Amino acid sequence: MNDPILDSLNAAQRQAVTYDGRHLLVLAGPGTGKTRVITHRIAYLILRQGIDPEGILAITFTNKAALEMKTRIQAILGELPGHPWAGTFHAFSLWLLRRHWRESNLAKDFVIYDSDDQKTLMREILSTREIPSAKAGVYLDVISRLKDDLMDAKSYAIHADMSQDAYRSALAKIYLAYQEGLKARAALDFGDLLLEANLLFKQNPGLATVYQERFPLIFVDEYQDINRSQYSLIKAVAGDKGSLTCVADDDQVIYEWRNANPKYTLEFEKEFKGAGSITLDQNYRSTPNVLDAAQKLIRHNGARREKNLTAVRPAGQEPEIVTADDEKEEARLIARRVRAALDKGIAPSQIAVFYRLNAQSRHFEIEFRALAIPYRLIGAVGFYARREIKDILALARLLVNPKDEISLWRVLGNFPRFSLTRDAISRLKIWARDGRTDAWAALDAAGRGAVALSSKAQGKISRFLEAYQALVRELGARASMAKILESIARESGYLEDTEEKDRALNAWELVESGREFEEQNLAADLGGFLGHTSLLASVSADNYKSSGPPTEAVSLMTIHLAKGLEFRAVYLTGIEEGLLPFKVSKTNPGEIEEERRLFYVGMTRAKDFLVLSRARSRFLFGSQTPAPASRFLCEAGLVQGDGPDRPILRRGARIKHPFFGEGRVVALIGAGEDMKATVQFERAGTRKFLVSRAPLEIL
């Protein structure tokens, strides 16, 4: 009998979808259909096993992946009463804390501070300790890692005291002050979401039991990327009786610097007794030529599970290696190849250039502009991180949470109608600090003339207080989300901004996003919308900045942002020692293994064409230095083992002849000293050579 849920699956996928054990680890290599397995397994359990969809929790890492999962599940299930809870780790934690703010000892209308808000608060803390504000990002990164490891500020302070280490003691004080600052403003940062969710269950075992019964079936995508706090949260919800299905690829762990820990994948059966393991081994994305090279590379890693991936597609073009004199010529050669690919009919959106560091993009941008190649930089500022959007949302947050002083100062510093000088804001802050009171009291004192401000500044404060009270009344009258946002946007002045039309369009787009959110969430309020936008504003591969049309542009991005994507043609650049792999410690083999996984991820994004380029010298870290070929080229079987600068002559390789110019190898006959090559030159037609004697340079 035909089954639409199972008929489109291969044998391994079908085995995973119909697995009837309690716990399951699905090892899914690149391009093997992991999302298909997750969505079809959820549909199978609901439609064929009679599982209540409301009892399923599906967790992933990015908003984009969560949306795709929801869309696919809905497409299979159709219109059924109830649906699985699907979203990111942070979204699930926020959902829990909104429901149990009392148990977590949080303010009811707590707000979420994004990276800019966090830096503003940290700079204030550092300024009182005479520490340069430029170090705010460094301290925040350390604190984020501590939270990922479930180390709260008070616990860390105890450890710091025991260690008698000066740096740890200083950090502990800053961490405590930072958390006190967040609490005073009724705010959480992203690390707090997971930390507080874990504490919620730890301190309320009965509540943990409630959610174990609510979600007896748990699915986790990209399980190889979880950190300690995410793992602990999953363990708490699963409990002793829950069923856990995780999809992972330990060969794609490239976020260890973000605290991702591959041990949770490698030790899955040890942690979850009786768990089954199924490997998806059919790759539907890449040609055998690309996949074989990638597998040769990754087998040099020790801490991994072996997977013998098989390409379903027929053989294609061999990976091409391009060698340039320096980074400028590398960009020029890549740009020419991209231009040629476009001229052959490959869509710009199906082409990507990857690099290890953002700094590498500059020369590619220059060359792409010269050849009129449309491109977009991926990973830049997203919609909710734009200044005008953050300004409008700051006043919205202040309506929901008047204690949020960072938002208050942002409004008073940025809104044209209320904009105060830095000196005026500084005077208000000093008055509040010396009087041991808050910002609102300082504004009230300014209105009475108790703070030394100009009459112009006093007038702006009066206008702000009048506008704020009007908005409070509007919120109390339960006006629609769009109406409130429009009123706030009008106060901002951006809706009527004739000089910066893009800002006006963005402001109106925010109003529309509020309308859409309210339509999709009938019980939504302004606080819920703000939580939603905070999650969307998080830094991830979801955010794009395009200098060309959004759908018809070549993508330029770091390899870290390429994970989860695929393109017909991939240009993987800067394949040199010191760059890829990046500078690694000789005493830490784990670092080189992560760099190897990063290269593997970059290679396996390619569907049809893979080009790998390097420069013989590169201007990096302030000087032009020699750049030896990366060891990874040899490990992937793409260059000879006895010399990093000797590429293997393959059919399809590009070569250069001193008289005939550049061409491509179209045929090889024989081996060793007797090998003959047929080369199709761009201008000189077809020529045949005895390889051992011909002056052929492989590009």
Side-chain angles (χ1 to χ4, degrees):
M1 178 181 292
N2 293 335
D3 189 328
I5 297 178
L6 302 177
D7 289 345
S8 62
L9 306 178
N10 62 39
Q13 291 172 339
R14 191 177 295 112
Q15 184 183 3
V17 167
T18 59
Y19 178 78
D20 61 0
R22 181 181 168 197
H23 300 305
L24 173 64
L25 175 65
V26 180
L27 291 168
T32 57
K34 65 180 182 63
T35 305
R36 173 182 288 266
V37 165
I38 290 178
T39 53
H40 281 243
R41 178 161 171 76
I42 290 173
Y44 178 83
L45 292 171
I46 294 171
L47 298 178
R48 300 293 179 266
Q49 301 296 317
I51 297 297
D52 180 3
E54 297 281 346
I56 293 176
L57 174 65
I59 300 287
T60 188
F61 279 82
T62 68
N63 297 307
K64 181 181 177 182
L67 178 60
E68 181 180 3
M69 187 185 296
K70 290 178 183 178
T71 302
R72 289 201 192 187
I73 292 172
Q74 185 63 34
I76 301 173
L77 296 180
E79 296 297 328
L80 286 179
H83 54 83
W85 198 106
T88 65
F89 277 99
H90 289 103
F92 179 61
S93 298
L94 176 60
W95 180 75
L96 285 172
L97 297 176
R98 287 291 186 207
R99 293 164 66 94
H100 301 288
W101 56 273
R102 286 192 183 89
E103 294 93 327
S104 297
N105 196 28
L106 300 173
K108 180 180 180 181
D109 295 314
F110 67 84
V111 296
I112 304 169
Y113 273 12
D114 64 13
S115 58
D116 284 347
D117 299 322
Q118 293 167 38
K119 285 180 181 178
T120 299
L121 174 57
M122 182 58 75
R123 290 188 189 109
E124 289 183 6
I125 293 168
L126 297 182
S127 67
T128 64
R129 290 166 168 76
E130 298 183 355
I131 298 174
S133 61
K135 291 186 175 291
V138 175
Y139 282 110
L140 287 170
D141 182 61
V142 174
I143 289 172
S144 176
R145 287 173 172 268
L146 289 172
K147 290 180 179 179
D148 285 343
D149 281 334
L150 298 178
M151 181 69 73
D152 61 78
K154 292 181 180 178
S155 299
Y156 185 75
I158 295 172
H159 282 270
D161 287 342
M162 293 174 62
S163 70
Q164 295 184 336
D165 180 271
Y167 171 77
R168 289 187 178 184
S169 296
L171 175 60
K173 292 176 182 177
I174 292 172
Y175 189 2
L176 284 168
Y178 174 70
Q179 291 305 117
E180 289 168 359
L182 288 173
K183 186 175 182 180
R185 293 159 177 80
L188 301 178
D189 65 15
F190 283 95
D192 286 325
L193 290 175
L194 285 157
L195 181 60
E196 292 291 345
N198 274 287
L199 288 174
L200 175 67
F201 287 142
K202 182 178 180 180
Q203 296 171 358
N204 301 274
L207 195 59
T209 303
V210 169
Y211 283 96
Q212 290 164 9
E213 294 174 352
R214 165 73 191 274
F215 297 116
L217 294 171
I218 304 171
F219 290 76
V220 182
D221 190 14
E222 302 287 3
Y223 185 73
Q224 76 278 349
D225 287 335
I226 67 169
N227 57 38
R228 183 181 177 186
S229 65
Q230 292 160 342
Y231 171 76
S232 178
L233 185 60
I234 290 299
K235 285 277 285 186
V237 180
D240 296 328
K241 298 180 180 179
S243 173
L244 184 62
T245 298
C246 295
V247 181
D249 183 4
D250 52 316
D251 290 332
Q252 296 190 65
V253 179
I254 59 174
Y255 297 125
E256 284 194 84
W257 51 279
R258 289 185 186 171
N259 275 9
N261 196 330
K263 80 171 187 178
Y264 297 121
T265 297
L266 298 173
E267 299 176 1
F268 188 85
E269 291 91 343
K270 178 181 177 181
E271 292 296 321
F272 300 97
K273 302 300 182 183
S277 176
I278 296 172
T279 300
L280 306 184
D281 53 10
Q282 288 186 286
N283 177 286
Y284 293 88
R285 177 187 298 152
S286 304
T287 62
N289 315 70
V290 172
L291 191 62
D292 289 350
Q295 290 199 100
K296 286 179 182 177
L297 169 84
I298 202 62
R299 288 192 177 112
H300 285 80
N301 271 7
R304 64 182 294 269
R305 295 181 180 227
E306 179 60 27
K307 305 171 209 59
N308 294 307
L309 302 183
T310 303
V312 173
R313 301 180 60 202
Q317 185 173 301
E318 294 283 351
E320 179 185 352
I321 297 178
V322 174
T323 303
D325 289 334
D326 57 24
E327 68 274 14
K328 295 179 182 178
E329 186 184 31
E330 179 191 38
R332 196 155 46 244
L333 294 174
I334 293 299
R336 289 176 184 173
R337 282 161 172 76
V338 170
R339 181 74 265 174
L342 293 172
D343 292 342
K344 290 178 181 177
I346 298 180
S349 59
Q350 285 298 309
I351 300 174
V353 176
F354 300 155
Y355 33 78
R356 180 64 175 81
L357 303 175
N358 274 311
Q360 292 173 253
S361 72
R362 185 167 70 91
H363 292 294
F364 292 109
E365 292 186 68
I366 293 171
E367 297 299 332
F368 277 29
R369 287 171 185 155
L371 295 181
I373 298 173
Y375 70 90
R376 60 178 177 174
L377 293 171
I378 294 181
V381 176
F383 178 79
Y384 290 101
R386 294 171 187 170
R387 175 187 165 182
E388 58 272 19
I389 301 303
K390 289 175 69 67
D391 287 348
I392 295 169
L393 291 178
L395 185 45
R397 289 161 64 170
L398 198 59
L399 288 176
V400 172
N401 176 19
K403 293 182 179 180
D404 184 5
E405 291 189 6
I406 286 179
S407 289
L408 174 59
W409 297 126
R410 184 183 185 104
V411 170
L412 290 174
N414 291 0
F415 277 42
R417 287 187 62 198
F418 319 131
S419 181
L420 300 175
T421 64
R422 290 186 178 180
D423 179 68
I425 291 177
S426 178
R427 288 170 182 264
L428 289 166
K429 288 183 176 180
I430 291 172
W431 193 94
R433 185 189 65 197
D434 292 346
R436 296 186 178 181
T437 185
D438 61 13
W440 292 101
L443 294 180
D444 180 68
R448 294 184 280 102
V451 183
L453 297 177
S454 67
S455 58
K456 184 177 180 180
Q458 290 177 341
K460 287 187 174 183
I461 291 173
S462 296
R463 284 198 294 274
F464 164 71
L465 293 174
E466 290 172 5
Y468 183 78
Q469 290 304 321
L471 290 168
V472 168
R473 289 192 294 271
E474 191 172 342
L475 182 64
R478 298 185 180 278
S480 70
M481 192 93 63
K483 181 66 173 64
I484 294 172
L485 289 171
E486 182 178 343
S487 297
I488 296 171
R490 289 197 183 282
E491 292 295 344
S492 73
Y494 287 124
L495 290 183
E496 292 80 28
D497 194 334
T498 56
E499 295 183 2
E500 295 285 346
K501 292 185 178 180
D502 287 343
R503 287 185 175 179
L505 290 172
N506 288 336
W508 279 116
E509 189 65 22
L510 178 63
V511 174
E512 182 61 23
S513 71
R515 190 191 319 279
E516 293 174 358
F517 182 80
E518 195 166 26
E519 289 175 352
Q520 297 167 5
N521 302 270
L522 298 180
D525 57 11
L526 188 57
F529 176 71
L530 293 172
H532 170 72
T533 60
S534 294
L535 293 176
L536 292 178
S538 59
V539 179
S540 71
D542 301 343
N543 298 329
Y544 294 84
K545 179 181 179 181
S546 173
S547 55
T551 57
E552 286 307 321
V554 175
S555 297
L556 274 64
M557 71 184 86
T558 64
I559 310 174
H560 280 101
L561 295 182
K563 189 176 176 183
L565 304 178
E566 62 180 25
F567 302 88
R568 280 196 65 192
V570 166
Y571 300 83
L572 191 49
T573 65
I575 315 302
E576 304 144 18
E577 289 292 314
L579 190 54
L580 189 64
F582 196 57
K583 294 182 176 180
V584 292
S585 169
K586 293 181 179 180
T587 60
N588 187 350
E591 290 183 5
I592 191 66
E593 294 211 349
E594 178 160 5
E595 290 291 303
R596 189 176 287 114
R597 290 193 294 265
L598 186 62
F599 188 35
Y600 175 79
V601 166
M603 294 177 72
T604 54
R605 301 309 95 193
K607 296 169 69 176
D608 298 327
F609 309 105
L610 175 62
V611 177
L612 305 109
S613 69
R614 57 167 290 251
R616 293 188 177 93
S617 72
R618 183 175 297 273
F619 188 83
L620 202 61
F621 302 112
S623 62
Q624 192 81 27
T625 57
S630 171
R631 72 193 78 180
F632 295 156
L633 292 173
C634 177
E635 293 175 354
L638 298 172
V639 300
Q640 300 285 7
D642 59 348
D645 288 322
R646 291 184 55 198
I648 298 172
L649 188 65
R650 299 176 182 270
R651 183 177 62 82
R654 289 192 61 81
I655 61 92
K656 186 176 182 179
H657 190 279
F659 301 111
F660 302 125
E662 294 187 12
R664 185 181 299 278
V665 177
V666 295
L668 289 171
I669 300 175
E673 294 293 317
D674 297 322
M675 178 181 285
K676 295 179 181 179
T678 302
V679 180
Q680 177 68 50
F681 289 98
E682 295 175 355
R683 293 187 297 272
T686 302
R687 307 277 175 164
K688 294 184 179 181
F689 303 92
L690 184 64
V691 174
S692 60
R693 297 185 180 182
L696 301 177
E697 178 186 357
I698 302 176
L699 299 178

